Amino acid sequence: MPFFGVGLTLLVLTGSSFFVLGAYYQHHDFWHKLQQLIQEDPYAFYIREKLYDALPLLNLNCREQSVGNGSRMSEIMKYGFPGLDDIRVYSDFVLSYDRRNRVAHWVYEHLRAPCVQSNGGGASRHEANYQPDMSVPSNFRADVTDYKNSGFDRGHLAAAGNHKCHQTHCNETFYLTNIAPQVGKGFNRDAWNNLEIYVRELTERYGSVYVCTGPLYKPKRQMAGFTEVENSRRANGKWCVEYEVIGENTVAVPTHFFKVITVESKLPGGQPYMEAYIMPNAPISTNTNIRNFLADIREIEHIAGLQFFNGLRRSFFFDTNYTTTPELYRNFQ
Ligand SMILES: *[C@@H]1O[C@H](CO)[C@@H](O)[C@H](O)[C@H]1NC(C)=O
Ligand SMILES: *[C@@H]1O[C@H](CO)[C@@H](O)[C@H](O)[C@H]1NC(C)=O
Ligand SMILES: *[C@@H]1O[C@H](CO)[C@@H](O)[C@H](O)[C@H]1NC(C)=O
């Protein structure tokens, strides 16, 4: 009799274990396939309804049901994911969080004219507070105390001024997952702010703009001019990455920031226009034209380890001259 009992227990155990294992492998397999699909074909947005319907099955941090009529994620991510590390979905932007640096890898926004205008929607940044995102595990979470007395501004990646349609949208840009240490005077309050204003102007002019913003930790060549001790330590002439970290949680201070901007054409069937910027996280003298910071998107991909519109397929949608040709911008409609 005891023997029979044990057998039954075993049977029940193995039955449920197989069920759990099966669910795990199905989940794992699905996640793997989805990753592959997005990697191989960011233009998978043609089938995105199917793709995104499946995403809630995955363990994503999803807040998007909180405001409005359901998901904006499929819209925001129309041009594909630059990377897939710790994806976090907010009501009006999507980001990938870098646990090591306590700063996002990238933040994606889809801007529409009514929500970027100064009188748009009525949301105010003065009603919002900087706050840690408690959904990030505490040992990887930045806190407001990290920024205190650091000498750096709490710089928005998704700008608060881009999300004026709902107070909740505006509030969410103040989560520290969307914040990075930025030099205040000459950068966050000046040159970088000018770039954000330029993006809003594009949005008012063309109606629909996708913008991806993130930090860079850019290698730098060690130069002569250090003391002998410094030079031997720094291995003069070699490339290396150096950046400060602030606060108890060692939040990384990026050396640069990038924006990849995709402007949709107003013409039916018109191709989108794309350009990219890299700015140093440093004081930039006033009157510097932001177009001096136009950058090759491949440089951003290389430094950040991200991929925009997947390499060669990019030329399907974008002229190979997308980087620095002002004519393209002038002729774009
Ligand atoms: C939700 O949908 C309704 C009906 O289509 C619309 O009137 C309303 O403005 C939408 N709300 C938001 C926040 O998009
Ligand atoms: C926005 O944040 C402020 C300050 O934390 C809070 O008082 C307000 O209720 C929030 N508004 C919305 C719509 O979430
Ligand atoms: C890129 O620009 C150069 C110089 O303006 C031009 O000769 C070339 O045809 C352009 N390439 C494409 C693919 O438009």
Side-chain angles (χ1 to χ4, degrees):
M1 272 310 159
F3 179 74
F4 181 71
V6 169
L8 195 68
T9 317
L10 256 179
L11 193 75
V12 170
L13 253 181
T14 31
S16 61
S17 316
F18 278 144
F19 175 74
V20 169
L21 268 179
Y24 173 77
Y25 279 115
Q26 246 179 341
H27 181 278
H28 187 78
D29 191 42
F30 179 75
W31 178 228
H32 186 72
K33 280 199 183 113
L34 184 66
Q35 262 182 320
Q36 244 178 0
L37 185 63
I38 296 169
Q39 293 288 329
E40 284 167 11
D41 190 2
Y43 300 112
F45 76 83
Y46 287 118
I47 53 151
R48 66 187 186 279
E49 301 303 338
K50 279 203 179 91
L51 207 60
Y52 292 118
D53 278 350
L55 279 176
L57 295 174
L58 307 171
N59 201 11
L60 295 176
N61 283 282
C62 248
R63 234 182 278 265
E64 60 185 329
Q65 299 308 328
S66 55
V67 176
N69 296 336
S71 170
R72 276 208 75 218
M73 174 151 127
S74 55
E75 225 181 308
I76 296 169
M77 298 315 297
K78 174 174 172 182
Y79 290 97
F81 288 76
L84 290 168
D85 187 18
D86 199 356
I87 303 290
R88 296 176 170 266
V89 181
Y90 296 82
S91 4
D92 211 28
F93 58 92
V94 176
L95 64 78
S96 159
Y97 187 67
D98 179 355
R99 292 181 168 193
R100 183 166 70 93
N101 285 322
R102 282 83 171 163
V103 170
H105 289 292
W106 51 262
V107 180
Y108 233 116
E109 302 164 84
H110 175 216
L111 308 186
R112 292 154 306 168
C115 300
V116 302
Q117 281 151 4
S118 45
N119 56 350
S124 163
R125 64 178 297 143
H126 302 296
E127 279 181 38
N129 286 326
Y130 291 96
Q131 55 179 311
D133 185 333
M134 301 308 272
S135 73
V136 175
S138 61
N139 43 344
F140 306 128
R141 195 192 298 149
D143 201 354
V144 280
T145 52
D146 295 321
Y147 286 84
K148 209 163 248 165
N149 303 321
S150 70
F152 290 97
D153 275 11
R154 293 167 291 194
H156 282 72
L157 296 173
N162 295 350
H163 302 274
K164 295 206 189 97
C165 277
H166 285 279
Q167 189 61 46
T168 307
H169 294 177
C170 178
N171 275 15
E172 287 184 0
T173 66
F174 284 77
Y175 278 121
L176 294 181
T177 42
N178 179 50
I179 299 295
Q182 288 187 334
V183 168
K185 207 162 175 295
F187 185 71
N188 181 36
R189 301 168 215 168
D190 299 289
W192 184 251
N193 188 41
N194 292 341
L195 182 58
E196 289 178 344
I197 290 169
Y198 164 72
V199 171
R200 284 196 282 275
E201 281 167 0
L202 283 177
T203 310
E204 293 201 43
R205 186 159 155 203
Y206 295 104
S208 173
V209 172
Y210 290 81
V211 57
C212 185
T213 309
L216 293 176
Y217 307 92
K218 202 174 164 183
K220 178 166 83 174
R221 189 152 208 166
Q222 296 309 328
M223 297 305 223
F226 295 107
T227 66
E228 213 169 312
V229 176
E230 275 174 336
N231 265 341
S232 62
R233 182 174 62 80
R234 286 164 173 266
N236 189 22
K238 292 187 177 176
W239 293 87
C240 66
V241 179
E242 256 184 11
Y243 55 91
E244 191 180 336
V245 294
I246 56 169
E248 251 175 54
N249 296 304
T250 59
V251 180
V253 180
T255 63
H256 293 71
F257 288 90
F258 72 83
K259 274 190 192 290
V260 174
I261 302 165
T262 309
V263 184
E264 295 202 312
S265 173
K266 285 170 121 168
L267 304 177
Q271 294 193 338
Y273 165 74
M274 179 172 72
E275 60 185 22
Y277 290 85
I278 297 178
M279 278 191 183
N281 188 11
I284 294 165
S285 62
T286 40
N287 309 325
T288 310
N289 190 329
I290 53 164
R291 298 195 81 76
N292 290 341
F293 300 99
L294 274 169
D296 192 323
I297 195 168
R298 285 164 294 195
E299 190 185 355
I300 298 171
E301 292 179 322
H302 178 80
I303 301 167
L306 302 174
Q307 204 170 32
F308 295 92
F309 324 111
N310 203 15
L312 286 180
R313 286 181 137 266
R314 197 148 57 210
S315 59
F316 175 71
F317 268 152
F318 303 99
D319 198 297
T320 46
N321 285 339
Y322 60 85
T323 48
T324 53
T325 333
E327 294 77 45
L328 201 63
Y329 171 68
R330 277 202 289 276
N331 295 334
F332 183 73
Q333 299 184 55

